[in-house]
Amino acid sequence: VRDCIQKTLSEWSSKIGQDQYQETLEFLECSVVQAIEKINPEERDELKVSAKLFIVGSNSSSIRDAVDLACSALGVAQLDSVIIAPPPVEDGTNLSLEYLQPFWKELENLVQNKKIVAIGTSDLDKTLLEQLYLWAQVKPSSNQVNLASCCVMPPDLTAFAKECDIQLLTHNDPKELLCEASFQEVLQESIQNMKANKWIPLWLLRYSVIVKSRGIIKSKGYIIQAKRNAS
């Protein structure tokens, strides 16, 4: 992730004048157009577009921004699946259904508005997954389990997932894919006089475009949104 961000920022900044990002802007769009492969509408039915969303802050409205930007970048009307990584909680606080609810409601709205087909979770144990399943209007279609936390799927989780037709997947993503300090460091290295300490990452989305019939990845990439702190 760090290498992708650094390469994109370095290439982007080399093509524009410094004046364009020295202005007091809240958002900057930094992209390398040739690095993003838009999907041909004629091939859309043959492809599955999936994404995993890592929210760095605690703002549930970030989800809509992330999905809209992903759809726009890839040239599609909707994503086939979105998995949300549990948003960070304060130290000493356990992840709870109440904390997850506003994020899940935002995902449900996007399903109802046909921006997403299926939604899933990551790193929920059996108790929390069951609570979410019973409460949710749009049920989770999948739950990712971190390979670092268990070599064998917990039996109670496996039994519940089978009963409720929830697909259990594995992943090896770190608990914090991109921290604020790491983002600011790569920003400072990539663009001169950027005042990197004022920029705060809001979310990071990783997408994959998979050819359904062959099960191969056609393209993949990251989209990140950060905000400049005015103070």
Side-chain angles (χ1 to χ4, degrees):
V1 177
R2 183 187 170 93
D3 289 344
C4 287
I5 294 172
Q6 188 167 32
K7 185 174 181 180
T8 300
L9 289 175
S10 298
E11 190 167 339
W12 172 80
S13 63
S14 69
K15 293 181 178 179
I16 68 166
Q18 284 196 18
D19 292 343
Q20 292 191 43
Y21 56 78
Q22 291 300 331
E23 298 174 6
T24 309
L25 297 175
E26 188 175 355
F27 289 99
L28 285 171
E29 182 178 347
C30 309
S31 62
V32 180
V33 176
Q34 64 269 27
I36 302 175
E37 183 181 352
K38 285 190 179 288
I39 293 173
N40 185 334
E42 295 179 359
E43 299 178 350
R44 181 63 181 93
D45 291 342
E46 303 168 12
L47 304 172
K48 178 182 180 182
V49 185
S50 59
K52 184 172 182 179
L53 178 60
F54 303 84
I55 296 178
V56 183
S58 57
N59 189 350
S60 59
S61 65
S62 295
I63 296 174
R64 178 173 292 277
D65 292 339
V67 171
D68 284 345
L69 279 173
C71 287
S72 175
L74 296 172
V76 296
Q78 66 177 186
L79 305 180
D80 294 297
S81 70
V82 173
I83 289 174
I84 185 170
V89 295
E90 295 180 2
D91 292 340
T93 305
N94 292 325
L95 190 64
S96 65
L97 175 63
E98 290 74 22
Y99 186 75
L100 285 175
Q101 283 174 337
F103 298 95
W104 197 257
K105 283 180 180 177
E106 192 66 33
L107 285 172
E108 289 182 327
N109 288 336
L110 291 168
V111 172
Q112 290 159 3
N113 291 330
K114 300 188 184 304
K115 295 290 288 186
I116 307 174
V117 178
I119 50 180
T121 59
S122 181
D123 301 317
L124 299 193
D125 59 18
K126 186 262 182 182
T127 300
L128 194 48
L129 182 61
E130 182 176 16
Q131 290 175 352
L132 178 65
Y133 184 88
L134 294 174
W135 167 81
Q137 291 184 355
V138 180
K139 308 298 182 184
S141 63
S142 61
N143 180 50
Q144 286 189 335
V145 178
N146 196 324
L147 288 171
S149 64
C150 67
C151 297
V152 180
M153 291 283 186
D156 60 342
L157 180 62
T158 303
F160 176 75
K162 184 177 181 180
E163 178 187 343
C164 297
D165 195 26
I166 298 173
Q167 185 179 16
L168 290 182
L169 308 169
T170 58
H171 76 94
N172 58 0
D173 296 319
K175 188 173 183 180
E176 191 172 39
L177 195 62
L178 181 70
C179 67
E180 184 176 311
S182 181
F183 174 74
Q184 291 174 349
E185 187 177 310
V186 74
L187 192 62
Q188 189 65 51
E189 293 172 357
S190 306
I191 305 177
Q192 293 182 347
N193 305 319
M194 191 59 179
K195 298 182 180 178
N197 63 325
K198 290 183 175 292
W199 287 88
I200 301 170
L202 300 178
W203 52 262
L204 174 71
L205 180 142
R206 183 179 64 214
Y207 68 84
S208 300
V209 180
I210 301 168
V211 181
K212 294 178 183 177
S213 60
R214 301 170 65 188
I216 62 171
I217 297 176
K218 188 173 188 291
S219 66
K220 60 181 180 179
Y222 297 96
I223 301 173
I224 183 172
Q225 188 175 66
K227 181 178 181 180
R228 175 145 66 180
N229 195 335
S231 60

